[in-house]
Amino acid sequence: DGGITQSPKYLFRKEGQNVTLSCEQNLNHDAMYWYRQDPGQGLRLIYYSQIVNDFQKGDIAEGYSVSREKKESFPLTVTSAQKNPTAFYLCASTSTGGFQPQHFGDGTRLSIL
Amino acid sequence: QKEVEQNSGPLSVPEGAIASLNCTYSDRVSQSFFWYRQYSGKSPELIMSIYSNGDKEDGRFTAQLNKASQYVSLLIRDSQPSDSATYLCAVTPSGTYKYIFGTGTRLKVLA
């Protein structure tokens, strides 16, 4: 079955540590997105990518980095510069950015140790 | 002014009633509109997409779009306790690949 796989489901970060969240899709979608969701909040865009080897900052990119070396994969690194990383992280993809609906993975819940 | 606004709720309706959820947006030339349902601790799942003015029906769900007034709504007929969730409205402003989400409306359907 086609879909988006995010891993791990839960992740704990120590002070000063970088952690990487995985997002893989087999939907043959061109566009991929990373969102952060805090309790009682909507989704805030971190980074997005329309094609391989190209990505753009969203509204809250500081303290995060991404890569898009393959169409299927869009990993997100939460760096030590992100001082408040505790949140629910969602990866999404769509066939045509801005027109078609997004499909979401199951999310990764990141907490600080 | 927020780009996409929703009443946070909770909106409480009795089982079997119609639930009406509303969303307003600021970019007059926004092009695509989506409603997602999100259960607590889960990821959003798509309920409806709507692109042109008017109503679009899918089962118990009806999306309504009024571009002149810049609002989109979702009606849920015959509401069930399983419909209790947070409903997110998403809009794609013109000339962008971004999706802008509202903060969601929490719906509680009372048995």
Side-chain angles (χ1 to χ4, degrees):
Chain A
D1 287 340
I4 301 174
T5 301
Q6 288 188 245
S7 62
K9 195 176 176 100
Y10 299 96
L11 188 57
F12 298 91
R13 195 192 88 171
K14 296 179 182 178
E15 288 287 338
Q17 186 182 41
N18 293 353
V19 292
T20 297
L21 284 59
S22 172
C23 177
E24 303 274 335
Q25 55 98 359
N26 60 4
L27 299 167
N28 199 32
H29 284 170
D30 288 313
M32 297 186 74
Y33 299 74
W34 274 106
Y35 294 94
R36 168 180 172 142
Q37 187 175 35
D38 294 281
Q41 305 270 332
L43 277 62
R44 292 188 290 167
L45 182 63
I46 305 173
Y47 269 98
Y48 62 107
S49 168
Q50 298 300 304
I51 56 173
V52 173
N53 293 322
D54 189 40
F55 48 83
Q56 289 76 41
K57 292 183 179 180
D59 302 315
I60 56 165
E62 187 174 347
Y64 300 97
S65 66
V66 293
S67 62
R68 186 88 187 273
E69 297 177 1
K70 298 186 301 181
K71 186 175 182 177
E72 301 80 19
S73 178
F74 192 40
L76 173 74
T77 296
V78 183
T79 75
S80 56
Q82 174 49 247
K83 297 305 179 189
N84 183 22
T86 298
F88 188 41
Y89 290 87
L90 288 158
C91 178
S93 72
T94 181
S95 56
T96 308
F99 295 95
Q100 297 301 316
Q102 293 182 313
H103 299 262
F104 286 87
D106 289 339
T108 293
R109 200 165 294 278
L110 176 61
S111 303
I112 290 185
L113 276 179
Chain B
Q1 182 189 6
K2 289 184 182 176
E3 292 182 85
V4 178
E5 293 205 55
Q6 297 181 254
N7 188 319
S8 61
L11 172 66
S12 295
V13 300
E15 185 176 356
I18 296 175
S20 177
L21 306 163
N22 298 311
C23 171
T24 59
Y25 59 94
S26 59
D27 185 339
R28 182 170 293 277
V29 292
S30 293
Q31 49 197 6
S32 306
F33 307 85
F34 308 96
W35 282 101
Y36 289 86
R37 177 175 62 199
Q38 187 177 26
Y39 292 112
S40 181
K42 302 295 186 183
S43 63
E45 55 182 322
L46 180 71
I47 299 293
M48 296 280 284
S49 306
I50 187 165
Y51 302 94
S52 54
N53 279 330
D55 295 0
K56 180 182 177 183
E57 187 174 318
D58 184 1
R60 295 187 297 113
F61 300 97
T62 299
Q64 299 174 317
L65 176 61
N66 184 323
K67 290 188 177 182
S69 301
Q70 294 173 239
Y71 82 79
V72 56
S73 61
L74 180 70
L75 301 178
I76 306 175
R77 289 181 299 281
D78 189 24
S79 295
Q80 301 297 310
S82 59
D83 294 325
S84 298
T86 296
Y87 289 80
L88 300 170
C89 170
V91 174
T92 58
S94 63
T96 177
Y97 298 112
K98 292 183 179 181
Y99 296 70
I100 311 298
F101 284 81
T103 54
T105 298
R106 190 155 65 96
L107 173 67
K108 297 175 73 172
V109 180
L110 307 173

